[in-house]
Amino acid sequence: MLRSNHAGAAQTPPTLPAPAQAFRFSTPVVETPGVFVLASWITRLLRVLVLAPIRFPVAVGSAALLGASGYLFGYTGAAVAVIAASSVLLAWYIRWPVSFHRLVALRALAAWRWVAVYRRHWQPVLVVAGLAESYQERRYLPRIRRVTCSTWADRVRVRLVAGTAPADVEQRVVELAHGFGAPSCRVTVLGPRDVVLEFPRRDTLARPLDALPIPADPDLSALPVGRCEDGEPWHLRLHGTHVLVVGVTGAGKGSVIWSALRAMLPAIQAGTVEVRAIDPKRMELSYGRRLFAAYADDGESAVALLERAVADMQERAERYAGKQRVHVPSASDPFVVVVLDEVAFLTAYHPDRDVRRRAENAIATLTSQGRSVGFCVLAALQDPRKEVMNLRNLFPDKVALRLDEASQVDMVLGEGARERGALAHLIDADLPGVAFVKLEGSPAPVRVRAAYVSDGDIDAMAGGFGPVG
């Protein structure tokens, strides 16, 4: 019995001592003396009083006049001052509406938006979006430096927290747009820790644009083809570059192409611009065949057209060698625009491998050597994947219409375009012609809408400016 009791006791595990816990260091909490808090509030108040006349001169001047009148002349004087100030503002609005809108209305709107929207919701939106940084149990947020308003958007200038980068903000543009109730958000970097967040208040491109007037003297480096989001005309450059237009079916690729052709009509008629068109679908460019110096709608004839363009380009380059570095359009040496609708038909989908190879070689030669001698390729594409079109980087200027997938935005416009606010995959299907444009040398994509050129417009163009001889 004793042995069995000892055996049972031996099976009971001994009680182990609790392990020693490591020391935990934390920042001591020190109460700030009230005098320092009061000094901080007084400093902020003085800063507001000093900067207010600079930021809002009209409002501060009106308030000062009202206060002085009330102090010197009582309620009657204040009423007279209000009537006088209102009369001056009304006369200013009637006589000089542009300056009134810029100096009074937009500044008042900016002050209201700063208080009611951004200052009010700044901390919760940035914390939820993941843009708040913590250090030694304190939370740090980017600071609003200034809010300005245009007729269509708010521009919030922000100073970033030290140690963060603009890329951190660019990755949260969707969250910021939804947080502040804006259709979108775009980020512009001005300098170290200095960025501007642009929040549109309304969609200025919601309404379709009719075909634009035909310019009397076309500028091939700035052809009017539509309108930008800020209300300015969208000018498309063709001379000295190549343009790739990408979008799904129905996104509005034809609007971009026909608007560009429409803007060049007087030059086409004068013979200083020559258009050679490839139309595999036979449904887009066939309406304006009389405008084209050459037209192809099948694989063999399309490749022949491209190879002929390469031969003409090389012949011109040989004539220019050592004599001329810049091409000037003329009737003897016209600016040649090769329009390729559905270029993937030639580079990926054509059943003949030899046709695909020859077409790809010709397009690569034109896009790599043609700019300086007056040859431009204006190509349209649906699928931007590399296995479909591996020559995207040879097109300096790119137009991204509505796309299928988010990853395609960076394929078309370049790395980081989607993070900067070019959300081409979110363009509404009811907005054909709306696109984001990325120009050579400019990292910021611009939202635009191309004008719609109807079949009747195209018939009138072909009848009035053709045939080409």
Side-chain angles (χ1 to χ4, degrees), residues 186 228-230 234 422 435-439 442 444-448:
R186 283 184 288 281
C228 299
E229 191 173 33
D230 60 2
W234 172 27
F436 289 89
V437 178
K438 171 74 164 47
L439 301 179
S442 175
V446 179
R447 189 169 181 263
V448 299

Side-chain angles (χ1 to χ4, degrees), residues 40-388:
S40 174
W41 290 350
I42 294 175
T43 302
R44 292 182 181 180
L45 177 61
L46 292 176
R47 183 172 179 269
V48 171
L49 294 176
V50 170
L51 294 179
I54 300 174
R55 292 184 175 179
F56 313 106
V58 176
V60 172
S62 301
L65 177 62
L66 178 62
S69 301
Y71 178 77
L72 295 175
F73 306 106
Y75 292 108
T76 303
V80 172
V82 170
I83 295 173
S86 301
S87 301
V88 170
L89 292 176
L90 180 60
W92 185 0
Y93 171 74
I94 295 174
R95 182 65 180 84
W96 299 285
V98 176
S99 63
F100 178 87
H101 188 70
R102 177 172 55 89
L103 297 176
V104 179
L106 290 180
R107 291 198 176 197
L109 178 62
W112 169 254
R113 299 281 293 177
W114 180 76
V115 173
V117 178
Y118 301 107
R119 183 64 182 271
R120 178 184 177 187
H121 301 291
W122 189 251
Q123 181 173 350
V125 170
L126 266 67
V127 169
V128 174
L131 292 174
E133 302 296 333
S134 298
Y135 176 70
Q136 291 187 349
E137 300 183 4
R138 292 188 61 184
R139 178 173 289 166
Y140 296 87
L141 292 173
R143 183 166 54 87
I144 300 176
R145 299 180 61 180
R146 189 179 183 185
V147 177
T148 57
C149 290
S150 64
T151 56
W152 64 281
D154 299 337
R155 291 172 58 87
V156 183
R157 189 170 180 178
V158 176
R159 182 171 178 81
L160 300 180
V161 177
T164 60
D168 300 329
V169 182
E170 292 172 349
Q171 294 172 358
R172 298 290 186 272
V173 290
V174 176
E175 290 87 345
L176 291 174
H178 284 278
F180 293 111
S184 62
C185 172
R186 283 184 288 281
V187 181
T188 303
V189 181
L190 300 183
R193 299 176 59 190
D194 191 5
V195 302
V196 172
L197 307 179
E198 187 176 74
F199 297 99
R201 294 191 301 274
R202 59 188 177 88
D203 189 357
T204 59
L205 304 178
R207 294 183 178 181
L209 302 177
D210 295 330
L212 300 179
I214 300 173
D217 186 15
D219 183 358
L220 299 177
S221 62
L223 297 169
V225 295
R227 189 172 64 198
C228 299
E229 191 173 33
D230 60 2
E232 295 296 319
W234 172 27
H235 290 112
L236 181 66
R237 176 188 177 192
L238 289 185
H239 192 261
T241 190
H242 305 288
V243 180
L244 179 64
V245 183
V246 185
V248 299
T249 300
K253 296 186 293 295
S255 297
V256 179
I257 293 174
W258 279 114
S259 293
L261 294 175
R262 182 178 178 85
M264 294 189 295
L265 285 178
I268 295 174
Q269 188 179 45
T272 58
V273 172
E274 182 180 291
V275 180
R276 308 179 186 184
I278 296 176
D279 184 20
K281 294 189 302 185
R282 301 178 176 90
M283 296 297 294
E284 186 63 54
L285 302 178
S286 59
Y287 275 90
R289 291 186 63 166
R290 298 184 63 194
L291 298 172
F292 307 139
Y295 178 86
D297 55 13
D298 61 75
E300 288 294 339
S301 61
V303 170
L305 187 153
L306 289 171
E307 292 176 341
R308 180 59 186 170
V310 170
D312 293 343
M313 178 199 69
Q314 293 173 340
E315 184 273 332
R316 184 180 292 181
E318 185 177 353
R319 286 191 288 110
Y320 283 7
K323 301 177 183 178
Q324 183 175 339
R325 295 182 61 189
V326 179
H327 172 259
V328 178
S330 63
S332 56
D333 272 344
F335 174 54
V336 178
V337 182
V338 179
V339 180
L340 291 169
D341 188 33
E342 300 300 342
V343 64
F345 170 76
L346 296 176
T347 60
Y349 303 146
H350 196 281
D352 191 330
R353 180 179 300 177
D354 184 62
V355 169
R356 298 198 302 269
R357 178 187 58 81
R358 290 165 56 196
E360 189 168 305
N361 290 340
I363 295 171
T365 305
L366 286 171
T367 51
S368 60
Q369 302 177 18
R371 292 203 291 174
S372 59
V373 292
F375 279 73
C376 167
V377 177
L378 174 58
L381 180 68
Q382 288 190 33
D383 188 349
R385 290 177 300 170
K386 183 166 290 187
E387 56 267 25
V388 175

